[in-house]
Amino acid sequence: MDLLQENFPQLFYLYSTYYTPYASYIHPLRRALLLTQSYFYRYAFPTLYPFYALTLRLLGSVFTEQPSLASLTLLAVLLLVSLKLMDVLRRAIISWIAFAIRMIIYASVVLVGVWVYQRGLEQSLEDLGWTIGLLAGLGEQGEKMGRARAARRAKEARSIPEGHYRGRTRGARW
């Protein structure tokens, strides 16, 4: 909200002044906005407004009167329908994610097969051994660096006098 409050005068200036240094950038956006607005009021609004008014009148009468069995039933039906829609949406999203993961796995298998076919089995196994050795060496180096860092922190913690704090830790004594 602060961002809007801070930038509103500049945005209003850019919107209200016709000739600005940014006119070449703003005019296509303004034109697209006005065309969308005119399309909405010309075509979509006359079609959708009766449904909007009917829904608003129905919901207004349902929620302003005392709760009755019909309004509670309507609320329960709307809840069930929304839950069913959310379940369908969840299933669709999960199926697309599973499809993407399956395609990634199949593509990687095909790429490994092409790589082995081009390089030959012996050279591919040699490259695989080199890669595994590299990763193992990186892991060992990371463990060694972690141990050294932990030892340095322990040494620093022992060297701090009682009652003093290390840096900006807000009371942590380590």
Side-chain angles (χ1 to χ4, degrees):
M1 193 65 185
D2 291 335
L3 180 70
L4 183 63
Q5 289 174 350
E6 290 172 2
N7 295 325
F8 183 73
Q10 290 89 1
L11 294 173
F12 182 72
Y13 171 76
L14 290 175
Y15 181 77
S16 62
T17 56
Y18 190 75
Y19 296 106
T20 64
Y22 310 108
S24 60
Y25 302 108
I26 293 174
H27 286 300
L29 296 174
R30 182 184 290 172
R31 183 169 182 243
L33 178 67
L34 292 176
L35 285 174
T36 305
Q37 184 180 9
S38 68
Y39 175 81
F40 176 76
Y41 281 117
R42 188 178 309 143
Y43 298 111
F45 185 74
T47 307
L48 296 176
Y49 183 74
F51 297 116
Y52 169 73
L54 179 66
T55 306
L56 190 63
R57 198 171 341 120
L58 175 68
L59 290 177
S61 66
V62 165
F63 290 119
T64 55
E65 298 171 358
Q66 289 293 330
S68 63
L69 185 61
S71 65
L72 293 176
T73 306
L74 177 67
L75 185 63
V77 167
L78 287 175
L79 179 68
L80 289 175
V81 168
S82 66
L83 287 175
K84 286 290 184 185
L85 286 173
M86 291 302 286
D87 185 46
V88 168
L89 183 65
R90 180 189 60 85
R91 286 182 184 192
I93 290 171
I94 288 176
S95 67
W96 279 107
I97 290 172
F99 174 73
I101 290 172
R102 231 179 278 129
M103 288 296 110
I104 289 170
I105 290 172
Y106 292 150
S108 63
V109 166
V110 167
L111 287 174
V112 167
V114 168
W115 179 64
V116 168
Y117 178 75
Q118 286 181 348
R119 301 274 299 183
L121 185 61
E122 279 186 27
Q123 186 66 33
S124 299
L125 290 175
E126 217 174 278
D127 291 343
L128 180 66
W130 181 83
T131 305
I132 290 173
L134 176 73
L135 293 176
L138 287 175
E140 289 173 4
Q141 185 179 4
E143 287 178 9
K144 191 187 303 182
M145 288 174 60
R147 275 190 242 110
R149 188 174 293 156
R152 189 176 62 242
R153 284 187 179 169
K155 183 180 175 186
E156 287 176 6
R158 285 191 300 270
S159 68
I160 296 174
E162 188 63 33
H164 290 82
Y165 303 116
R166 180 179 183 267
R168 298 178 59 200
T169 58
R170 298 192 176 126
R173 299 179 190 176
W174 52 280

